[in-house]
Amino acid sequence: IQNNLQNKVDLTVPYIYFPLSVDMERNLLVDSAMYTNQIEVIRIIAKSLPINYRLFVKENPAQSSREWRSINEYKEIMKIPNVTLIQPTVLGRELIKNSSLVISIAGTSSLEAVFYGKPSIIFGKVIYSMLPSVFQVNDLDELSRTIDSALKISVKLSDLDKFLELYEKNTIDFDLI
């Protein structure tokens, strides 16, 4: 990982950010069971990108708790054209802030993108998909058009405020202990 994954990337090039999810956890197994093969998802995204964009893929630092992926998996990702594989030590928020768009399977990075005024695309079922700047993939054949649409949208922080108010009104504090 230290020798082969990028630890410094040019944040001035147009790019879309895809954070890897931890294999195998709830986000993959329950919320997005059709997209558990993340390497195939990366291939599909890379093929769907607008011509002048790169795909930055970052390993999840929490993956170490389940063992890192195999060397072959990392090599396979690095072979995908137009994809840069980034070390888990690189700050995700910096990648989000400088990206044009965030795509995640079902993680919180797509929600975090809204906080930075960035649109996002998700594959799985998440509560924040009600936000107008969060696009849910329903058909992989439409991914290219979904990316084009998402890149054109302007994120409204007022939508985020409304979502957070609704979320707060419908949740309770619970002391598990």
Side-chain angles (χ1 to χ4, degrees):
I1 289 175
Q2 288 179 337
N3 294 332
N4 294 295
L5 276 63
Q6 298 292 316
N7 66 356
K8 292 185 175 152
V9 289
D10 182 1
L11 299 178
T12 63
V13 300
Y15 70 91
I16 291 171
Y17 172 51
F18 179 79
L20 284 165
S21 294
V22 174
D23 272 345
M24 289 296 202
E25 73 171 10
R26 182 189 179 288
N27 285 348
L28 286 176
L29 297 175
V30 177
D31 292 339
S32 49
M34 297 300 294
Y35 305 102
T36 56
N37 186 335
Q38 295 185 84
I39 295 172
E40 284 307 310
V41 171
I42 292 167
R43 272 195 189 91
I44 292 166
I45 294 170
K47 289 176 183 177
S48 302
L49 293 178
I51 216 91
N52 58 335
Y53 280 85
R54 291 199 51 78
L55 183 63
F56 286 3
V57 176
K58 180 181 163 297
E59 176 58 281
N60 193 318
Q63 183 63 41
S64 66
S65 68
R66 304 268 173 97
E67 296 186 9
W68 296 110
R69 295 167 217 280
S70 72
I71 291 171
N72 288 338
E73 288 176 285
Y74 291 124
K75 285 181 178 180
E76 200 172 338
I77 293 170
M78 290 188 292
K79 286 181 191 174
I80 301 171
N82 209 26
V83 171
T84 301
L85 185 56
I86 301 171
Q87 289 186 9
T89 55
V90 174
L91 294 177
R93 71 176 159 263
E94 290 303 314
L95 294 168
I96 292 170
K97 281 196 292 192
N98 292 287
S99 71
S100 300
L101 173 68
V102 174
I103 301 176
S104 69
I105 294 190
T108 57
S109 294
S110 287
L111 175 60
E112 190 175 347
V114 181
F115 284 85
Y116 290 105
K118 305 293 179 175
S120 63
I121 295 174
I122 49 141
F123 289 89
K125 297 174 185 168
V126 294
I127 190 169
Y128 59 85
S129 65
M130 64 178 61
L131 289 163
S133 61
V134 177
F135 294 75
Q136 184 158 7
V137 174
N138 296 313
D139 182 352
L140 287 176
D141 292 334
E142 296 293 319
L143 183 58
S144 183
R145 279 183 275 241
T146 304
I147 290 171
D148 288 339
S149 297
L151 286 168
K152 293 174 185 166
I153 198 164
S154 179
V155 176
K156 295 179 185 171
L157 292 180
S158 59
D159 292 332
L160 177 60
D161 288 339
K162 289 176 192 173
F163 170 76
L164 293 174
E165 286 175 22
L166 179 66
Y167 187 80
E168 190 173 325
K169 285 180 187 177
N170 290 286
T171 58
I172 59 168
D173 287 330
F174 178 74
D175 184 359
L176 186 60
I177 295 171

